[in-house]
Amino acid sequence: MSSLIHFYQKLDADFIRGEGCYLWDKTENRYLDMTSGIGVNNLGFSHAELNIEIQAQIQNYIHLSNLFKNTWSEKLSDQLVKITQLNASFFCNSGTEANETAIKIAKLYAFEKNIENAKIIVMNQGFHGRTLGALSATSNQKYKEKFGALLDDFIFVDFNCIESILDAIQQHHVCAIMLEPIQGEGGIHIASTLYLKQLRKICDQYKILLILDEIQCGLGRTGYWFYHQKAEIVPDILTIAKGLANGLPIGACLVNKRLNDLLTPGLHGSTFGGNPLACRVALKVLEIIERDELILNNKQKGEYLINQLQSKFTSVHGIKSIRGVGLMIAIELNETIDDISQQLFLQHKILINITQNKIIRLLPSFLITEDDIQYFCQSLYDFIKTQNINNKVYLE
Ligand SMILES: Cc1ncc(COP(=O)(O)O)c(C=O)c1O
């Protein structure tokens, strides 16, 4: 038994190396990773060009205090600003910290504007992280109920429902609306383009901040640099993390010009945030995504994966729905299959992730091939047809 705190339900796996979208165990068994570390290893494991950047940077220094100029964080910020049309970035080490930053900025905005008892509208099924602020903005009661009083700054409304936003604005002093354009942990629920456009309009009308959390759906995964760009809008605050440095810890909170003027020394900070190693690698990640046209690739591979899944599983009654955008796809089952991750791992050497008990969440690496996709779909089909839930076989 390991001495680690048992916060995770772990697979019984011991991987010793990875390459591309594969991991290998001690006995040289190869596993296809359909999760990329929950949307982190977007450029796969052990990427040669990223390894060169890592090697080069550790020869100079890994950490540099935020009290000094840091060229890598400046270059990374410039690149992110260019991609997002926002104005400035703050770097931290994770998604939850990026969202803490966003929440603090929203509170600061309310303070500066003298909005009393200001509220932030967030979404049912939304997920923003595990620290107390981000957790307060997260909807799942199971994650929150044992932690006593959390921040009371949040109003929860239904996702994709403009009426409930307008109701909340009538009833409260709202300073911000915060959401994931595609809810990941909640089970891959996609904001409509119309909804995103309407949110932007309402935020402009009522001088409310629009905060988008693209920690899971951003960085090219959906066939756009950021999914909200499909709706041709720009948020006031954008949070990103996960795949930004392909596995090195980094998060970022980007803001528009108006907010940047509010943010002055001493209001926020992070010792490790913006460290040169993570920022240098992140810059290379962005370069590779653009150079190798991975955004278009993700759109095409995603369509291929959805088509393969739909053609294989149309007559399978155990599958409730198949949905997604680009390489962010959900296969929702009618019933939970016990130990499905462990069984697919053991029987088919495939790594998947389950969210909301019965949703298979696919977030494969951008390097996945059509052969990998075919192998995955066939293996899942072979597995599903052996299942017998409530005396009903999955396959009809
Ligand atoms: C949309 C979203 N926001 C925030 C987070 C929290 O990020 P982290 O685990 O890096 O703190 C996650 C993590 O899954 C996420 O999917």
Side-chain angles (χ1 to χ4, degrees):
M1 268 297 267
S2 120
S3 60
L4 293 169
I5 294 180
H6 192 59
F7 280 148
Y8 300 102
Q9 205 69 51
K10 287 180 190 275
L11 265 194
D12 193 9
D14 191 3
F15 299 118
I16 54 163
R17 70 186 166 88
E19 201 184 308
C21 31
Y22 293 100
L23 282 163
W24 280 263
D25 68 13
K26 279 187 268 195
T27 41
E28 283 299 312
N29 288 310
R30 191 182 79 163
Y31 297 84
L32 174 62
D33 180 10
M34 293 300 289
T35 72
S36 52
I38 317 197
V40 172
N41 299 105
N42 292 351
L43 301 184
F45 295 97
S46 195
H47 193 288
E49 286 176 88
L50 300 182
N51 289 349
I52 290 171
E53 295 299 316
I54 293 169
Q55 292 289 347
Q57 187 55 38
I58 61 177
Q59 305 300 327
N60 299 344
Y61 41 68
I62 295 173
H63 174 72
L64 193 63
S65 165
N66 277 311
L67 299 176
F68 308 131
K69 179 180 168 71
N70 172 345
T71 315
W72 292 110
S73 63
E74 288 177 8
K75 282 188 187 171
L76 178 60
S77 178
D78 288 349
Q79 195 56 25
L80 288 171
V81 159
K82 199 170 120 200
I83 293 170
T84 60
Q85 297 176 51
L86 283 159
N87 179 258
S89 333
F90 169 79
F91 292 113
C92 48
N93 314 288
S94 66
T96 199
E97 283 174 73
N99 285 335
E100 289 293 328
T101 311
I103 293 164
K104 279 180 78 177
I105 295 173
K107 286 171 78 80
L108 189 68
Y109 173 78
F111 176 83
E112 296 291 344
K113 292 197 114 307
N114 285 322
I115 308 175
E116 265 177 49
N117 197 16
K119 300 290 180 200
I120 301 173
I121 298 178
V122 288
M123 302 293 144
N124 291 329
Q125 300 168 311
F127 180 85
H128 299 290
R130 302 288 198 151
T131 49
L132 292 172
L135 186 63
S136 309
T138 289
S139 97
N140 192 334
Q141 282 306 320
K142 270 202 275 175
Y143 296 161
K144 307 203 281 190
E145 63 199 4
K146 296 186 180 165
F147 296 105
L150 297 175
L151 290 183
D152 69 351
D153 302 60
F154 298 98
I155 308 290
F156 287 84
V157 302
D158 285 342
F159 189 60
N160 261 332
C161 174
I162 271 306
E163 289 71 32
S164 56
I165 296 271
L166 292 171
D167 284 352
I169 291 173
Q170 295 310 317
Q171 287 167 33
H172 303 276
H173 299 138
V174 174
C175 65
I177 300 174
M178 178 172 181
L179 69 149
E180 303 152 83
I182 302 180
Q183 295 184 319
E185 178 84 12
I188 317 291
H189 302 292
I190 304 159
S192 74
T193 302
L194 178 64
Y195 179 65
L196 290 172
K197 279 184 192 293
Q198 285 174 322
L199 285 181
R200 182 64 275 176
K201 227 172 164 176
I202 289 169
C203 286
D204 289 341
Q205 186 182 347
Y206 293 94
K207 298 198 172 14
I208 290 171
L209 300 179
L210 181 60
I211 306 174
L212 295 181
D213 173 344
E214 293 232 18
I215 287 163
Q216 195 166 138
C217 63
L219 290 167
R221 176 164 291 282
T222 62
Y224 301 87
W225 266 118
F226 293 97
Y227 188 67
H228 67 266
Q229 292 170 336
K230 182 180 180 199
E232 297 174 338
I233 59 161
V234 180
D236 298 295
I237 303 181
L238 177 70
T239 56
I240 56 183
K242 285 198 181 279
L244 182 54
N246 208 54
L248 286 172
I250 187 169
C253 177
L254 284 105
V255 296
N256 70 16
K257 170 105 184 67
R258 195 161 40 111
L259 291 171
N260 195 23
D261 294 343
L262 285 184
L263 308 174
T264 51
L267 282 172
H268 194 50
S270 159
T271 296
F272 292 126
N275 76 81
L277 180 63
C279 289
R280 181 169 179 167
V281 173
L283 200 61
K284 196 69 182 178
V285 166
L286 299 181
E287 185 192 315
I288 294 170
I289 292 175
E290 193 160 276
R291 183 197 68 200
D292 295 352
E293 298 181 351
L294 293 177
I295 296 177
L296 177 63
N297 164 81
N298 295 347
K299 185 173 182 287
Q300 291 167 344
K301 294 273 172 55
E303 279 164 10
Y304 184 75
L305 177 48
I306 288 249
N307 287 340
Q308 288 284 311
L309 287 169
Q310 279 169 344
S311 63
K312 271 228 147 36
F313 289 100
T314 35
S315 62
V316 176
H317 92 257
I319 307 286
K320 185 172 173 192
S321 108
I322 292 168
R323 56 178 180 269
V325 188
L327 292 176
M328 186 168 187
I329 292 174
I331 306 167
E332 182 162 358
L333 308 172
N334 278 321
E335 306 280 342
T336 308
I337 301 179
D338 289 339
D339 274 344
I340 179 170
S341 303
Q342 183 77 21
Q343 291 195 59
L344 275 166
F345 160 71
L346 289 174
Q347 293 174 30
H348 293 279
K349 300 198 169 33
I350 284 173
L351 305 170
I352 57 153
N353 170 259
I354 300 291
T355 187
Q356 308 296 318
N357 296 324
K358 48 186 182 179
I359 299 175
I360 302 175
R361 173 174 39 168
L362 303 178
L363 299 165
S365 154
F366 302 173
L367 306 184
I368 194 162
T369 64
E370 290 190 357
D371 284 351
D372 295 327
I373 289 173
Q374 278 174 20
Y375 174 72
F376 168 74
C377 293
Q378 187 60 46
S379 304
L380 185 67
Y381 182 81
D382 291 346
F383 172 77
I384 292 274
K385 83 182 173 201
T386 64
Q387 299 303 304
N388 187 335
I389 306 289
N390 292 341
N391 296 325
K392 268 183 150 181
V393 284
Y394 256 68
L395 207 61
E396 280 192 336

